[in-house]
Amino acid sequence: MFKDEKLYIPQKNYLKNPQNLPIEEYLLQGEMALLQGDFQGVEFFKKANQLSPDNPDLLYREALILYEYGIQYSCFPAFIVAAKFLKKLVRIQPGFFHAYLFYGHLCVEMCKMTDQYNYFQNAYQYYKKALASAQGATNSELAVLHWDIAVVEM
């Protein structure tokens, strides 16, 4: 993924529903811990997931936060946890274009960190799934996707 490229961020605001306040609190606490370099912030994500186990927006946001943490701190375990969240997300909501695109980006970063080619192959598979679920994607998103596919096909 390129530095100027933006990832899709769900616009859902959990605070609109007072029942979701504990979920949002756990998510924010986990995010704050990770921003301060404390990988134990993942424990707050687990608590949020216990309250809302099949929430695609929550899983996506958690994966995104962990991805950023993994990049910033060169932390492969963060990528592993992010991949688990994304795997669950695409199982719950197949056809989620942005999740497949993001999963591909994550696999590329995992390959760069470990030099294990199988992650690159996984990226290709997720980019192809993104392409298959691209109805409604913007021209810019499609251009990025086609570029990503071309890069991993080389």
Side-chain angles (χ1 to χ4, degrees):
M1 186 154 80
F2 300 105
K3 293 288 183 196
D4 60 339
E5 195 175 316
K6 301 278 190 254
L7 284 173
Y8 166 79
I9 300 176
Q11 299 300 311
K12 190 165 194 154
N13 183 354
Y14 298 100
L15 295 177
K16 289 181 181 177
N17 182 346
Q19 283 184 309
N20 290 331
L21 186 58
I23 297 168
E24 186 69 20
E25 285 297 317
Y26 285 133
L27 183 64
L28 292 174
Q29 288 178 17
E31 184 174 14
M32 290 305 299
L34 289 167
L35 285 172
Q36 295 171 6
D38 182 3
F39 190 65
Q40 291 303 311
V42 171
E43 295 303 315
F44 290 107
F45 291 169
K46 289 178 183 175
K47 290 178 182 179
N49 287 329
Q50 288 172 348
L51 295 173
S52 186
D54 294 335
N55 185 323
D57 290 331
L58 180 63
L59 291 166
Y60 188 91
R61 284 182 59 191
E62 290 167 332
L64 182 61
I65 293 163
L66 285 162
Y67 173 83
E68 293 296 332
Y69 178 89
I71 295 286
Q72 183 174 351
Y73 294 100
S74 298
C75 180
F76 190 76
F79 289 160
I80 295 294
V81 177
K84 286 180 182 178
F85 288 145
L86 288 171
K87 184 176 184 176
K88 183 176 182 179
L89 170 57
V90 297
R91 183 179 44 78
I92 292 168
Q93 192 172 342
F96 187 169
F97 169 78
H98 293 99
Y100 286 123
L101 182 61
F102 177 26
Y103 210 161
H105 293 322
L106 175 64
C107 289
V108 168
E109 291 301 324
M110 292 170 85
C111 181
K112 290 184 339 190
M113 192 173 283
T114 64
D115 288 328
Q116 292 183 17
Y117 184 70
N118 63 308
Y119 290 120
F120 215 55
Q121 292 171 315
N122 292 345
Y124 179 76
Q125 295 304 316
Y126 287 115
Y127 289 148
K128 286 295 195 179
K129 288 180 181 184
L131 188 59
S133 61
Q135 43 301 16
T138 67
N139 287 338
S140 175
E141 291 168 334
L142 290 172
V144 167
L145 175 58
H146 284 286
W147 175 266
D148 291 337
I149 290 171
V151 168
V152 297
E153 281 182 330
M154 295 182 6

